[in-house]
Amino acid sequence: CGFKPLYGGAGFNQLPGLQVSRGQERVDYLIDDALRDFLGDGRSPYHLTLDNETTQSSLGLSATGIARQYALVITTDYTLTDASGAVIAEGRLREESLFDASSDPYSLVSGASNAEEQASEAMAERLVQEIAVALRQREAIERR
Amino acid sequence: QTVSSDRVYLDADELIQDQQQGLYIARGDVRLQSGDRVLFAQELIYNPALNRVVASGGVQIFDGSEPAQFAEEVELSDDLREGVARGFATLLENNGRAAAGAALRRPDGSVELSNAYYTACELCETGEGEPTWRLRASRVVRDTQNKVIYYRNVRLEILGRPILYSPVFAHADPSAARQSGFLFPVLNSSSRLGFTYQQPYLWAIGPSQELIVSPRYMGKVNPLLQLDWSRRFYSGEMNVQTSFTYEQEFDQDGKFGDEELRGHVFADGLFRFNQNFRWGFGVEAVSGDLYLRRYGFEESPDRADGLFEIRDQRMLLNQVFFIGDGEHFHGDATVIHFNKLQENVDDDTLPLISPLIRFGAELPMPRWAGDLDFSFNTANLQRNAGDDYTRASLALDWTRPTVLPGGLRAEAFALARADAYAFNETDASGNEIDSTNLTRSLGAAGLDLSLPFVRPGESVNWLIAPRMAAIIASSDNADSTPVNVDSASIEFQQSQLFDAARANGYDLWEDGARLDVGLTVAADWRGALPGELEVFAGRSFRLDGDQRFPASSGLADDDSDWIGQIELDLGQFDLDARARIDSESQEINRLDLTAGFDAWRVSMNTRYTRRTDAASTRQLEEVTASAGFAITEEWSVVYDGVIDLEENEIRRQRAGLQYRDECTNLRILWERDNIDVANLGPSDSVKLEIVLFTLGGLSDD
Amino acid sequence: QSTGPGEGPADISADRSELFDAQGLVVYSGDVNVVRGGVRLRADRLEAYYVRRDTGGRELRRIVAEGEVFYVTEAEIARGDRGTYDLVNDVIELTGSVVLTQGCNVSTGEHLYAELATGVARLDGGENSNDRVRSVFFTDDDAATAQTPQDCPAPVIPGDGPRPYEAPEG
């Protein structure tokens, strides 16, 4: 019924070794590193530009002004270009990871740090899925 | 092409030569260029014999980097410099306009305009309509030497109506860099402080250093002095905000206690050694726990990048950090001291983190051998009263993805980690009861299989992506299990479903074997209302190993709760729903709904959060919303609020009316803070902020 | 005899000429030159309209020129695709990529209207109003006068210029 595997195919096989340009904050590195782990190494003509913004929103504000949980949200604007610079795929993605607000400051700091790692990993996998779908759609259009 | 200055280029609709009078007359959108001076006019009479150019009709003169000059009629020598202009308006560099009946450009370069006015608002060419504000004066001198504009008997007119009058007035020529001068006042009336008037004065110490001194008069309490100092260095910048007053304590019932000096200091700095390494610091100190809230300062101000920031905990952080970032590594080392503003908390029990180090790097590996990441993480907590805790962890993280024929992605992964702990317990009076040192080595390995399918259709593209991961983890024997400090609570959610080590921190290690499964179905369609819908469902099955997670985590039982997500994006409207559904009762234990709407003139973002897991002590139900409506191009209304549905209270809300055009930013903001801290009671305030561009103003957004 | 720009007889020389007496028209073609006083008009083809004077002889009223039309005086040279010379009102009009050169100052346009009597010449963009007039002027004095310094060559006028008047044989 017309279904084709997302992974594999000319475009996808050239993704390993994807060049990424990113900022210098911790989340920027974590997403870049997770992309390399997920795609593996190689020589790729593609170039991905990431603009990541990390925010923490307080949840469950109590009567005495204390938040009881936090949502660590990463919003990423991405643009994938091929060797010639033509834009293959672009868009905005949002990933969230919740962590509890403990009364102990250290476990709060550690919770935030761990949430950054989890949300970055989830964002990297979501980016690969979006890029792979875009590559497949381009192949479908070219073939038609 | 380089324009040589001895040649004059002209183009126009019509060129007339009158040889008897020896004149060239150009008419109709005339453009005359000589060197890098350009002149536009409707008519231009060029008399080569007398070397004189008379331009008239909406004359604009651009002279290299000088600000543009406007006039009705200008008679200039042909090198366009000297001359008397009628209806002359100088468009100062960042659009401050001085329009004058007549202007004389004196040889020293200063321009004297008579019955002129100065505004930063768009000048209406046709002359009707009033700019939002203007300074009208009988004489205006723009002194280009010391970059000041002087006025004689000047009136400030708002929308054409005179408001203020003063015999002499001067302000910085906007094209000048930073000049000292008064900024516009901040007016505020609050239930706690009464009517307040804050008059900021900017002292431009140097091109990269400034100090804003703003005394604040308050109806109900003694005045306060606030100083905002900032300095930019070659390699970074530093900002300090401090305030102090001499007053008793007060709450909603009035003043009490004795008068003494009170105040606060916020400081942050960020400096770069080179492309890869930077360091910084953050200072938050205050004379008393309630000072900031009493005088309307933020308890967790916005800070420079790289700093830890924890909002809404009524907690101050003093920290120094060092960050290194390269293409294949990232690491930071931070020392943090905490200070809680809640009166019932003894700050001695709070840990001094000295240091927290997080380092990760990718090790070079041959391409076929997969990816190997090295990470080092250590935390050392010292407490004046309470337990000290030190942990150091080294880990190697290996992943090897392959795509098998048929599109099956198989990723083998393995994690090896060694932890070392030093932990000593002290009793309430601070003497040591017990100290334990232990080390442990842990490992986990697994296989992550995913087989996503797509069907690019004519108008709808489908994606179905099943995924499964089997993970086996070594067990850590009982005598080497550390106290659980950093992973006390955990929230089972999609972002950690396929993680090798799912615990929230290092202290808790989940041994045994488990199977994580997940399915994503997504569709995106074009057509009249293009959009995207993505649905995810997932679950985790513990095959072997003890139950280590708290009851309210959703991972307590062997078969975990269900986790699901629905994302709908229609361009102008997007919705994201995430939930955790109880494995036995099928009740929704956790629900997070976020929606955004942005179309026509309305933009809205709202979030509904609900935690109703029976086993948890943290029942909560809350809605946060923020909305903006653009009434016209300049006028807009904004609202944002936090509503606690559990106790039917609006915790915090703000409503504002804002006027913004290219020369003015006016904001009337009503704020209500319904947080009861130490009998301070709720606070209501209405604040008026005026910022006239190029004249300056203090606004704290 | 240095007559004013607009007075005196016009001397026309050309390779060929045809006379259409009934319409009062003579057509000259092939490097046609008209000289009248200090003004010279040159064209590939030229129609001269005249009226018969009651005292006999013909009075030239109007000239229509086509093809590399040049209007030359000592002070300036103007060139156009087509031109007309109204000898009664002493007005020359050139149209079609007009180039007006005075010493080094050069102006281009689509339509030149020159009143020889008053010395006023107007150059504009022609009917199609978005054609602009472009000029280059030199501000130092010597370039503005008639002598052409070496670095501002005068435009080349095709043909060998007006031939001296030879009384027709016989």
Side-chain angles (χ1 to χ4, degrees), chain B residues 118-353:
Chain B
Y118 170 78
T119 171
C121 310
E122 287 297 331
L123 264 187
C124 332
E125 264 58 38
T126 53
E128 359 87 7
E130 297 299 346
T132 314
W133 59 270
R134 85 175 127 208
L135 292 169
R136 182 181 289 283
S138 66
R139 237 149 63 71
V140 172
V141 178
R142 177 178 170 237
D143 182 343
T144 49
Q145 246 66 38
N146 31 46
K147 298 245 183 259
V148 180
I149 297 186
Y150 303 105
Y151 298 81
R152 280 293 172 289
N153 39 52
V154 65
R155 285 196 313 278
L156 169 66
E157 290 175 2
I158 303 281
L159 293 176
R161 269 173 298 289
I163 303 283
L164 294 172
Y165 173 83
S166 105
V168 179
F169 178 72
H171 66 76
D173 180 337
S175 59
R178 305 198 60 77
Q179 288 295 338
S180 306
F182 281 101
L183 305 179
F184 263 75
V186 179
L187 310 173
N188 193 342
S189 107
S190 98
S191 53
R192 242 176 229 155
L193 303 167
F195 172 76
T196 69
Y197 176 92
Q198 184 167 9
Q199 176 51 61
Y201 176 82
L202 167 73
W203 172 26
I205 304 168
S208 60
Q209 182 177 189
E210 69 177 27
L211 174 68
I212 299 179
V213 180
S214 40
R216 188 202 305 180
Y217 160 81
M218 290 167 280
K220 292 186 178 171
V221 288
N222 292 345
L224 166 149
L225 180 63
Q226 175 180 338
L227 302 170
D228 289 82
W229 175 80
S230 72
R231 166 132 199 219
R232 275 185 304 286
F233 300 88
Y234 170 71
S235 67
E237 69 174 275
M238 194 158 101
N239 311 296
V240 177
Q241 175 188 79
T242 177
S243 75
F244 35 88
T245 182
Y246 194 79
E247 181 52 280
Q248 293 173 275
E249 290 193 88
F250 58 89
D251 61 19
Q252 60 185 344
D253 305 331
K255 296 185 182 176
F256 58 90
D258 40 24
E259 274 194 353
E260 33 174 272
L261 189 62
R262 303 173 191 285
H264 89 287
V265 175
F266 287 155
D268 64 59
L270 183 62
F271 301 92
R272 198 172 264 286
F273 291 111
N274 55 34
Q275 176 57 22
N276 297 101
F277 297 97
R278 57 185 191 261
W279 74 279
F281 66 90
V283 172
E284 294 171 10
V286 73
S287 60
D289 284 351
L290 302 175
Y291 176 82
L292 294 172
R293 190 166 280 272
R294 277 199 179 106
Y295 288 97
F297 289 103
E298 282 287 331
E299 282 185 341
S300 41
D302 293 336
R303 306 317 301 274
D305 288 345
L307 282 173
F308 279 91
E309 199 180 315
I310 296 178
R311 312 187 74 86
D312 293 330
Q313 284 298 320
R314 302 207 60 232
M315 182 160 68
L316 301 180
L317 281 79
N318 292 297
Q319 55 191 300
V320 181
F321 66 89
F322 171 87
I323 297 180
D325 175 273
E327 204 194 336
H328 292 294
F329 76 91
H330 184 92
D332 54 36
T334 315
V335 174
I336 313 175
H337 172 265
F338 299 96
N339 166 12
K340 283 211 171 181
L341 298 178
Q342 292 145 318
E343 316 73 40
N344 51 20
V345 171
D346 165 10
D347 287 344
D348 281 348
T349 64
L350 299 178
L352 168 68
I353 302 182

Side-chain angles (χ1 to χ4, degrees), chain B residues 516-573:
Chain B
D516 297 339
V517 290
L519 176 68
T520 305
V521 176
D524 68 80
W525 56 90
R526 289 172 292 285
L529 188 59
E532 245 177 84
L533 174 70
E534 180 158 329
V535 178
F536 170 82
R539 200 176 191 193
S540 177
F541 303 95
R542 180 179 299 110
L543 311 174
D544 163 34
D546 322 335
Q547 297 174 2
R548 293 186 182 273
F549 294 113
S552 64
S553 68
L555 288 168
D557 310 332
D558 283 353
D559 298 349
S560 77
D561 286 359
W562 287 90
I563 45 172
Q565 178 178 358
I566 299 173
E567 258 179 295
L568 174 65
D569 182 351
L570 301 175
Q572 288 170 330
F573 171 73

Side-chain angles (χ1 to χ4, degrees), chain A:
Chain A
C1 56
F3 272 97
K4 284 195 306 304
L6 176 63
Y7 294 148
F12 187 82
N13 292 343
Q14 286 183 314
L15 278 182
L18 177 70
Q19 302 136 31
V20 176
S21 41
R22 57 166 172 91
Q24 287 197 302
E25 296 308 320
R26 184 166 187 257
V27 164
D28 300 318
Y29 167 79
L30 290 173
I31 294 179
D32 185 6
D33 185 56
L35 279 171
R36 274 195 299 270
D37 293 351
F38 194 85
L39 288 171
D41 214 345
R43 292 191 49 70
S44 163
Y46 292 111
H47 183 95
L48 179 66
T49 308
L50 295 179
D51 181 0
N52 306 310
E53 198 209 334
T54 312
T55 53
Q56 267 183 34
S57 21
S58 315
L59 304 177
L61 197 63
S62 74
T64 58
I66 305 289
R68 282 174 279 177
Q69 201 178 53
Y70 290 98
L72 184 113
V73 178
I74 299 179
T75 311
T76 294
D77 289 332
Y78 70 92
T79 315
L80 181 80
T81 52
D82 62 14
S84 70
V87 174
I88 311 276
E90 60 184 339
R92 165 170 290 197
L93 293 174
R94 185 180 170 283
E95 276 305 328
E96 183 179 292
S97 179
L98 302 167
F99 62 97
D100 274 353
S102 134
S103 60
D104 167 35
Y106 167 65
S107 66
L108 239 176
V109 165
S110 157
S113 172
N114 180 55
E116 276 177 359
E117 283 150 27
Q118 285 175 351
S120 300
E121 185 114 6
M123 179 60 83
E125 284 163 12
R126 188 72 188 287
L127 276 167
V128 172
Q129 174 186 304
E130 294 281 318
I131 290 170
V133 166
L135 290 173
R136 270 300 185 212
Q137 276 164 2
R138 274 174 71 88
E139 278 152 23
I141 294 165
E142 273 142 22
R143 196 167 307 118
R144 197 167 295 141

Side-chain angles (χ1 to χ4, degrees), chain B residues 318-603:
Chain B
N318 292 297
Q319 55 191 300
V320 181
F321 66 89
F322 171 87
I323 297 180
D325 175 273
E327 204 194 336
H328 292 294
F329 76 91
H330 184 92
D332 54 36
T334 315
V335 174
I336 313 175
H337 172 265
F338 299 96
N339 166 12
K340 283 211 171 181
L341 298 178
Q342 292 145 318
E343 316 73 40
N344 51 20
V345 171
D346 165 10
D347 287 344
D348 281 348
T349 64
L350 299 178
L352 168 68
I353 302 182
S354 57
L356 166 66
I357 298 179
R358 309 178 292 183
F359 178 79
E362 190 193 350
L363 301 178
M365 289 273 280
R367 190 170 304 160
W368 51 268
D371 231 78
L372 187 62
D373 283 346
F374 163 80
S375 72
F376 169 68
N377 185 306
T378 180
N380 172 22
L381 310 186
Q382 307 288 334
R383 285 190 173 79
N384 294 343
D387 314 338
D388 292 348
Y389 159 100
T390 306
R391 172 191 53 75
S393 307
L394 275 169
L396 284 173
D397 217 322
W398 173 77
T399 60
R400 175 69 171 81
T402 53
V403 177
L404 305 173
L408 171 67
R409 180 180 181 280
E411 174 185 312
F413 59 87
L415 162 71
R417 198 176 90 194
D419 293 344
Y421 282 87
F423 180 75
N424 57 38
E425 253 167 295
T426 52
D427 60 17
S429 54
N431 37 48
E432 209 182 273
I433 307 164
D434 159 28
S435 94
T436 51
N437 296 349
L438 65 87
T439 60
R440 60 179 180 177
S441 54
L442 311 162
L447 189 63
D448 184 326
L449 300 173
S450 50
L451 187 55
F453 281 91
V454 281
R455 189 160 70 93
E458 203 50 46
S459 57
V460 182
N461 303 319
W462 286 96
L463 163 78
I464 298 177
R467 181 176 179 182
M468 189 190 72
I471 298 148
I472 308 157
S474 68
S475 63
D476 70 352
N477 36 47
D479 59 6
S480 66
T481 306
V483 63
N484 182 352
V485 169
D486 64 11
S487 347
S489 70
I490 180 165
E491 179 67 54
F492 182 42
Q493 56 192 316
Q494 188 186 347
S495 64
Q496 91 224 128
L497 181 56
F498 296 106
D499 249 358
R502 312 194 269 206
N504 227 358
Y506 285 83
D507 296 348
L508 187 139
W509 173 260
E510 192 189 2
D511 62 352
R514 73 172 201 265
L515 189 66
D516 297 339
V517 290
L519 176 68
T520 305
V521 176
D524 68 80
W525 56 90
R526 289 172 292 285
L529 188 59
E532 245 177 84
L533 174 70
E534 180 158 329
V535 178
F536 170 82
R539 200 176 191 193
S540 177
F541 303 95
R542 180 179 299 110
L543 311 174
D544 163 34
D546 322 335
Q547 297 174 2
R548 293 186 182 273
F549 294 113
S552 64
S553 68
L555 288 168
D557 310 332
D558 283 353
D559 298 349
S560 77
D561 286 359
W562 287 90
I563 45 172
Q565 178 178 358
I566 299 173
E567 258 179 295
L568 174 65
D569 182 351
L570 301 175
Q572 288 170 330
F573 171 73
D574 59 81
L575 175 75
D576 180 322
R578 296 172 187 232
R580 173 162 59 88
I581 297 151
D582 194 278
S583 48
E584 279 116 16
S585 64
Q586 265 68 43
E587 306 247 323
I588 294 186
N589 287 338
R590 169 173 58 84
L591 179 60
D592 290 278
L593 283 174
T594 52
F597 174 82
D598 196 349
W600 188 51
R601 293 190 187 168
V602 178
S603 81

Side-chain angles (χ1 to χ4, degrees), chain B residues 41-43 55-59 70-74 85-89 100-101 125:
Chain B
Q42 280 316 311
E43 183 183 80
S56 53
V59 178
F70 284 74
E72 267 317 300
E73 188 184 287
V74 172
R86 274 204 307 282
F88 180 98
E125 264 58 38

